[in-house]
Amino acid sequence: MKFTAAKGTRDILPGEVEIWQRVEACAHRLFTLYGFREIRTPIFEPTELFGKSTGADTDIVIKEMYTFPDRSDRSLTLRPEGTPGVVRAAIEEGLLRRGDVERLYYIGPMFRYERPQKGRYRQFSQIGVEVFGSAHPAIDAEVMEMVVALFTSLGIESARLMVNSVGHPGCRPAYREALRAALLPRSDELCADCRRRLDVNPLRIFDCKVPECGRIRQEAPVILDYLCQECGDHLRQVRECLEALEVPHDLNPRLVRGLDYYTRTTFEVASDRLGAQNALCGGGRYDDLVASMGGPPTPGFGFAIGADRLVMVVAEKGACPVPADVYIVHLGDAALKEALSAARHLRRRGLTTRLDPDARDMKKQMAKASAWGARQALIIGEQELTRGAYALKRLADGRQVDVPAGNWDEIKREVAHGGQDALGA
Ligand code: HAM
């Protein structure tokens, strides 16, 4: 019997993992610069949490959750997104203090039972942030600027930021009715799901992926024409702050995101390098969510980046192998023991070191050294042992020097020196 990974999941192998590490390290560094602190919440939560936050009539909750009873018959769900768990934790752990702004970020796996395709998986990873405690439009702009800065620092030029407002519970009913009135006469042309949405929550029609529904949507009224004064002002100020921060963006009046909790600002970053699943990041403001989940009234703003998609875009620019600083070539049994000891000492001194005990002759080992991208080879043979000196050979140009056997600090210095020369420093 042959086992394969479950549908919609995949193994991330060495070679690709280095790109993940780079992306995650960049996120940790940048978010810290902006005052964010990391939070790690459980991967499963009580099922009711998601109906209450993501929204009972969203596609995620109706069709996409991995829900199961545990052995005590409690209904649990693998988190389909990070926001509900972070809000729950912030309330439960007392992180929301009046007058304070709390900035949190998270990186980890999410689960949605969706139809797998390029860039869409059933287990995927998100890099997300949530800011609690400020309704100021400058927060929206600052956080969007941070997303753009992350993409820029990873060398991504193809990302487009799109911004919209979905209003607040005061101004949304009028829009909902206008949308229903405009679409009702064409309900025969809509898919079965959208006909149901028209009844329950017409805004959810914007989530539909059926092309015909998309065409009909293009002719529907847009929410921007229905915003109240305050929501309109908020959007204007967000855009002014974005301009002050020199963040290029487009207003996209049809950007209504597939989660229920948004109020006012919503945004997405898309990349044309990704094909159909082109959303790299989505987020927005959720000023009523914390209170609706039993917490103190606390405005919120956040986003999540699809890390799998981000890695795909970064990988296009070329993989980044982690080259070894030194490859140790050993010739003979006594030399192998010396080589093992050399590897231990050099690793302790922070040098990435490889050796292959099975490889015997010089030629094979030098070939392996290049295959591993090693900058230099430390050669230990019978001759070197007798002489009390190893040979250190630079792979780029074949330059070879003697280094004193057993003097690890001196060898480390020589390796660093030779490596720098090789880089032209
Ligand atoms: P979302 O738009 O559902 O928002 O997901 C954010 C990002 O996760 C998407 O833009 C996409 O890159 C990635 N993503 C979603 N589903 C998949 C999938 N099946 N496979 C691969 N990547 C996927 C949220 O999740 C909100 N919690 C964002 C947020 C945080 N809003 C406020 N705070």
Side-chain angles (χ1 to χ4, degrees):
M1 181 167 171
K2 203 168 138 210
F3 292 106
T4 52
K7 188 171 176 187
T9 71
R10 70 212 171 95
D11 304 304
I12 298 170
L13 303 178
E16 188 186 337
V17 164
E18 289 77 3
I19 304 174
W20 282 82
Q21 289 171 339
R22 196 179 130 213
V23 163
E24 288 171 5
C26 239
H28 285 294
R29 204 172 40 242
L30 192 83
F31 295 171
T32 307
L33 283 181
Y34 282 73
F36 284 81
R37 301 186 301 158
E38 186 179 356
I39 184 165
R40 300 184 185 193
T41 63
I43 280 171
F44 57 81
E45 296 272 358
T47 301
E48 314 83 77
L49 179 73
F50 301 104
K52 203 74 192 105
S53 47
T54 309
D57 49 58
T58 58
D59 272 11
I60 294 182
V61 171
I62 296 174
K63 305 183 193 167
E64 297 173 1
M65 296 205 303
Y66 280 90
T67 297
F68 54 95
D70 71 4
R71 287 173 191 277
S72 312
D73 242 10
R74 288 186 197 93
S75 180
L76 299 173
T77 293
L78 298 183
R79 59 185 188 189
E81 54 143 341
T83 311
V86 173
V87 172
R88 183 215 29 82
I91 298 170
E92 188 177 342
E93 308 293 343
L95 300 180
L96 308 172
R97 283 164 307 270
R98 193 182 282 274
D100 270 359
V101 174
E102 180 66 82
R103 297 169 170 236
L104 301 170
Y105 77 92
Y106 50 92
I107 299 181
M110 308 290 157
F111 305 84
R112 296 185 192 176
Y113 189 80
E114 290 193 89
R115 205 152 44 81
Q117 63 180 86
K118 184 180 172 223
R120 193 206 274 157
Y121 309 100
R122 291 184 174 173
Q123 175 175 336
F124 58 98
S125 186
Q126 284 188 342
I127 301 175
V129 317
E130 313 294 349
V131 180
F132 297 106
S134 173
H136 201 289
I139 293 284
D140 311 25
E142 186 195 15
V143 173
M144 287 189 263
E145 189 270 328
M146 180 173 81
V147 179
V148 173
L150 178 63
F151 293 154
T152 309
S153 71
L154 288 165
I156 297 175
E157 293 127 20
S158 59
R160 284 175 294 114
L161 171 64
M162 288 168 299
V163 182
N164 192 24
S165 172
V166 292
H168 81 306
C171 50
R172 216 175 292 151
Y175 175 63
R176 207 177 282 141
E177 282 324 304
L179 195 58
R180 187 176 280 135
L183 294 179
L184 216 48
R186 305 188 67 180
S187 65
D188 289 355
E189 300 165 61
L190 295 170
C191 71
D193 272 349
C194 280
R195 281 202 294 273
R196 185 187 54 79
R197 289 171 174 134
L198 206 50
D199 254 2
V200 186
N201 183 357
L203 258 81
R204 292 276 71 88
I205 286 175
F206 284 92
D207 308 343
C208 183
K209 290 154 194 133
V210 175
E212 185 52 26
C213 297
R215 269 191 293 280
I216 295 170
R217 246 181 353 233
Q218 283 303 315
E219 294 156 27
V222 294
I223 194 157
L224 289 182
D225 295 331
Y226 293 82
L227 294 184
C228 66
Q229 175 82 40
E230 288 81 12
C231 289
D233 283 349
H234 187 93
L235 178 61
R236 183 179 45 73
Q237 289 178 55
V238 169
R239 300 194 66 201
E240 283 169 8
C241 290
L242 282 174
E243 270 146 38
L245 291 168
E246 298 179 61
V247 176
H249 64 278
D250 294 318
L251 188 63
N252 178 352
R254 289 176 210 280
L255 180 67
V256 175
R257 296 180 29 70
L259 305 124
D260 262 2
Y261 45 67
Y262 292 114
T263 48
R264 297 192 165 159
T265 314
T266 51
F267 76 99
E268 270 184 22
V269 180
S271 164
D272 50 21
R273 328 277 327 169
L274 280 171
Q277 299 306 312
N278 67 352
L280 267 180
C281 166
R285 179 159 280 291
Y286 49 86
D287 289 345
D288 302 325
L289 179 62
V290 177
S292 78
M293 289 172 66
T298 311
F301 188 89
F303 68 76
I305 295 170
D308 304 74
R309 298 181 189 176
L310 178 55
V311 165
M312 271 163 62
V313 179
V314 174
E316 267 193 2
K317 303 192 137 286
C320 47
V322 182
D325 295 310
V326 201
Y327 184 96
I328 304 183
V329 176
H330 53 91
L331 304 163
D333 288 342
L336 175 58
K337 294 211 179 63
E338 181 85 354
L340 282 170
S341 165
R344 171 168 161 264
H345 284 287
L346 295 180
R347 286 171 180 149
R348 276 190 180 178
R349 284 165 178 74
L351 295 177
T352 325
T353 309
R354 287 199 65 102
L355 90 167
D356 291 283
D358 290 316
R360 298 226 149 245
D361 63 68
M362 177 83 158
K363 209 166 139 203
K364 259 204 194 110
Q365 292 187 63
M366 289 308 283
K368 286 206 175 224
S370 335
W372 284 110
R375 298 205 174 93
Q376 302 186 72
L378 186 69
I379 302 165
I380 309 181
E382 310 266 311
Q383 244 186 20
E384 281 75 16
L385 288 181
T386 328
R387 272 196 307 129
Y390 313 137
L392 184 66
K393 183 170 180 162
R394 193 155 69 192
L395 268 77
D397 58 3
R399 164 189 179 266
Q400 189 164 318
V401 293
D402 274 352
V403 289
N407 187 342
W408 308 115
D409 290 327
E410 178 58 29
I411 296 174
K412 179 186 168 173
R413 254 193 304 281
E414 200 50 57
V415 169
H417 174 68
Q420 266 177 14
D421 271 8
L423 294 174

